[in-house]
Amino acid sequence: MQTKEVQKITKKYKKTVLNALNVLGKKNLALICHGVSFPSETGKNTGFGTYNSSGAKKLFEFLSGMFNVIQLGPNGKTKEGDASPYTGTVFSQNPLFMDLEALTKNEWHNLLSVETFEKIVKNNPKSGSNRAAYGYANSAYENAQEEIYQNYIKLNNKKFNTEYENFKLENAFWLDNDALYEALSIENNSDYWPNWENELDKNLFYKADKNKAKKRIKEIEKKYKDIIEKYKLVQFIVAKQSAQTREFTEKLGLKMIADRQVAFSDRDCWAYQSLFLEGWSLGCPPDYFSKDGQAWDFSVIDPEKLFNKNGSLGSAGKLLKKLYLKMFKENPGGVRIDHTVGLIDPWVYKKGCLPKVEEGAGRLYSSPEHPELAKYSIASAEDTNPKAKPDEEKWITTLSDSQIKRYGAMIEKIVIQSAKESGLDKSAIVAEDLGTLTYPVSEVMKKYKLSGMKLVQFVVATDEKHPYRCKNITENSWAMTGTHDNRPIRLWAKDVVNTEEDTPHVNNLMEDLYASVEGRDMIKHKLYTDEKFLAFSKLVEVFACPAQNVQIFFTDFFGIQDTYNIPGTSGEQNWSLRLPDNFEEMYYSNLQTNDALNLPLALSYAIKARGKDFAYENRKLLDELEELI
């Protein structure tokens, strides 16, 4: 418990920081923290993080008053052998996001025993570290779920049962299928349906005879009644706890933004097979990260199932509308759309092939002369650049307004409309548009005024007009140093310092941030030689730039020099990084060594970067920030 003096200092600190953010025109300051990365309280670490825990509540209280947004990762149920949240289910939530400790309390009718909870904590192999134990947590939580279910069977609480039954009715359109898949995974000894031996089970909602399918479903529902009911119960618990967390954060002035991954999980692909384009997968063309492209093997929505000929939503469009409505209603802060290009101008390739032009790959809506994809093309041959290739950004160079509307149909009729029906506007949509930005994508982003992302870590420093450069970042953007797929900014800076006498990055920073400050020679030398100062300056950029929205990955704010995920690699080092239980103590310790972000110092630098006149107008605020530093 904080003393009155500490509370007074904290209040002043947060008030001053908020004033500085307002002066700089920042509407939103978001911390990116995926579910697994949330801290536990000391002595309560079960091996996996969750935003529903008491440890997460402490983090929310620590951040409130400075940050007003928490950007989560995808919350779907992940596969047993794959911790990536970007391959999780689109409707079901991850059971690992249950707060087990809460279930030992009277509020939850003691559905889990204290002894079981303490045993899980005691046996956590990653206890005392800032890493999740994914395999252990999966097994331990599975055992806990069985105990929770058995205690539920004995429970006779009218209010609880009514809530649960209402949840099942409201969510039956996805919950019944997902729970059935859980049973069939046991029946077929695999949670990956393409490996199932029973052909009928594979195609229950696709090519199977309807009468045979109905009979088989009833058979499985009877045989695995408890498995199915347990799955639904756990989904209810996670949903209810998540709603309670949102109520808690809203009282603190924190909004939660969900993350809609571009992929569909195995479970989703099985349930909605008829909605996907047979024989094709979604990926990325060859680029800086991969000379052969990225073969994600994600299913591709069949364009002919998205919209009917009269423009109304088709079967796939209706499903996506239900998904976005669910996400916006559950997350009034908004939704981040991962790989927005996938909704506008997706790159597809033939299953079993590399995502290269030579092997038949192309853009689904931008391949007017492709033998198989031409029928879906919105762009005509006259819209293509004869000097470019289909995998290049400048492949399409001209489009009419009606063509742009067709490219943006999913954005307009599904995403924006869902936000609107949920009482939100377009500002609730965060469009991840990093990497390949084709002409159709950029035109749709402009037409619908979507807020994209600008990553200062990946600025092309030799390009005076590059959109990721501080002075060029637009107001309607989210400025950031990195995402979940990038190294902490300190590791980037480590590679840049001491490399050469005339580094373009340093020249840009001197021009954009330090043009009117005293001691410029000393500052320039420090940028060349001091990785901490260089990293700090890159963080100052996101506050100094014109963008109204800022995102900071939790590693950069807390001064953690480990990478959360390295694209193109697999292993337990990915998707497992967490904030430690003593995150607050670690933050203040890292402040002393200039490793964590000193927010008042960064804001004072950002104000000064706006010029002498701006700094003079805000001299009182600068003095207040100086006191906090």
Side-chain angles (χ1 to χ4, degrees), residues 343-383:
L343 295 185
I344 303 169
D345 200 17
W347 182 261
V348 299
Y349 64 96
K350 293 183 178 180
K351 286 187 180 294
C353 299
L354 290 173
K356 301 171 74 171
V357 173
E358 306 89 272
E359 299 195 24
R363 294 212 171 274
L364 184 58
Y365 301 121
S366 301
S367 300
E369 297 179 333
H370 191 288
E372 295 172 70
L373 300 178
K375 64 178 179 178
Y376 306 121
S377 188
I378 296 170
S380 67
E382 289 73 28
D383 298 318

Side-chain angles (χ1 to χ4, degrees), residues 180 241 490 575:
L180 184 64
Q241 287 187 342
R490 270 287 302 284
W575 315 111

Side-chain angles (χ1 to χ4, degrees), residues 223-256:
K223 184 177 179 180
Y224 294 99
K225 178 176 178 277
D226 289 332
I227 294 296
I228 290 171
E229 196 63 30
K230 180 172 68 175
Y231 186 93
K232 293 180 178 181
L233 176 66
V234 169
Q235 287 301 309
F236 167 68
I237 290 170
V238 181
K240 185 174 172 63
Q241 287 187 342
S242 298
Q244 291 171 337
T245 297
R246 283 191 296 275
E247 287 178 15
F248 180 83
T249 55
E250 284 170 10
K251 288 177 182 176
L252 294 173
L254 285 167
K255 298 177 290 185
M256 308 280 267

Side-chain angles (χ1 to χ4, degrees), residues 177-220:
N177 290 344
D178 282 13
L180 184 64
Y181 187 94
E182 190 78 358
L184 288 168
S185 295
I186 296 172
E187 174 79 359
N188 290 279
N189 298 308
S190 172
D191 68 349
Y192 183 51
W193 68 270
N195 289 342
W196 295 351
E197 290 185 8
N198 190 310
E199 289 298 319
L200 179 58
D201 290 351
K202 283 183 181 181
N203 298 289
L204 280 176
F205 302 113
Y206 187 32
K207 297 176 180 178
D209 177 271
K210 289 186 178 180
N211 290 326
K212 288 182 179 179
K214 283 182 180 179
K215 184 179 178 182
R216 178 59 171 168
I217 290 170
K218 285 183 179 179
E219 177 188 335
I220 293 297

